[in-house]
Amino acid sequence: MEENKNELELIHSKALEDVANVKTSEDLQNVRNEYLSKKSKLMSLMASMREMTKEQKAEFGQIINKIKTEIAEKVEAKKEELEAKALNAKLEKEVIDFTLPSRSYSKGSKHPFQMVVDEVSQIFIGMGYDIAEGPEVETDEYNFELLNVPKGHPARDMQDSFFINESLLMRSQTSPVQAHVMKAANGVGPIKIISPGKVYRRDDDATHSHQFGQIEGLVIDKNINMGNLLSTLQLFVKKMFGEKREVRLRSSYFPFTEPSVEYDVSCFNCGGKGCSLCKGTGWIEIGGAGMVHPNVLKMSGFDEKEYQGFAFGVGVDRIAMLKYGIDDIRKLYTNDKRFNKQFNRD
Ligand code: DAH
């Protein structure tokens, strides 16, 4: 019994020493096998209890259990210690370096076409106009007939169009929105709208693209006259190109207006003296306008004796090119980011 106790004490102290010296989880597994498994030395000492008296068994059994529990606790503590160490080592390796420069990203910018649309829209919204929209695939009726351009009318030649079938085409102008808005109003004014949008024609050179933008303007009310049209254009041009700018009207022809004009702005580059931008004339052409033709009013359900109106068109691409010094209209449609972002003023 005493001998066994001594051996037990030896195993006990050796076990504690071994656990303390453990460095890896493999070491720990070996220690566990050596002292706690069924084939361990402690177990073989337990077997020796068979030869002991009952009292000796009780005493020895208690001691051996206490030692076993202690070793098991130390092994468990060691296991936790090793796990914590492994976790810390991993975290240290994965440390985030806040001094690294962040990834750069490029900020988008508004397209010069859209910049013009937005600027013109804001000016007219400020004058109490609503924004109206119309379809880009349009009927012959709306694109031409309701605008006083019947089949066979020579004015159709000016707008060489993309027809989809006999009666459908990609709209060649935003003017058909006039007819849509008037019909929706059921012959009751006032109407005050602008309609920005894309239009299509069979054109392709440095100043003409098969797709381009127009902004249509329409005012219908009682007692509307040419003076209202002129003052509206003057206000628009001053807001758009500067307070010193003047408007010039030249007589022209459009089938849907009578009288018809083209309107110019005094050159915002040279102030009217003459330069390369205005080709020496001092004036820059902006668009067409006029008093809404009585036939157009009538066809879209308005009493032409009671109501009058004026209409105007603004060329979006033309203004963008003049304003930002763009030499080829096609640059507006090729989506080159290096080109597009030059005009961002935000
Ligand atoms: N739609 C015409 C064009 O594309 C432009 C235009 C002229 C619009 C006179 C108008 C206008 O509203 O009154 O050539």
Side-chain angles (χ1 to χ4, degrees), residues 313-338:
V314 180
V316 177
D317 309 70
R318 204 178 142 63
I319 291 185
M321 290 172 79
L322 290 166
K323 224 178 149 158
Y324 305 121
I326 300 165
D327 58 356
D328 191 326
I329 191 170
R330 290 166 288 205
K331 287 184 181 157
L332 291 168
Y333 297 101
T334 41
N335 256 345
D336 184 337
K337 269 167 85 180
R338 290 165 305 179

Side-chain angles (χ1 to χ4, degrees), residues 225-235 247-249 310:
N225 59 48
M226 255 335 239
N228 303 131
L229 169 62
L230 179 61
S231 62
T232 300
L233 294 176
Q234 279 168 337
L235 203 60
V247 171
R248 177 177 80 171
L249 302 183
F310 64 78

Side-chain angles (χ1 to χ4, degrees), residues 241 244-246 265-284 322:
F241 301 104
K244 295 213 177 91
R245 302 281 71 81
E246 295 297 334
V265 56
S266 55
C267 182
F268 40 82
N269 191 40
C270 63
K273 283 189 229 80
C275 68
S276 61
L277 191 69
C278 59
K279 301 197 180 84
T281 64
W283 295 93
I284 290 175
L322 290 166

Side-chain angles (χ1 to χ4, degrees), residues 90 167 216 227 237 258 268 297 309 329:
K90 195 170 169 229
S167 56
E216 191 74 16
V237 151
E258 181 58 39
F268 40 82
L297 284 165
I329 191 170

Side-chain angles (χ1 to χ4, degrees), residues 19 40 50 141 182 197 330:
V19 175
S40 68
R50 253 177 273 143
E141 184 192 8
M182 278 191 268
R330 290 166 288 205

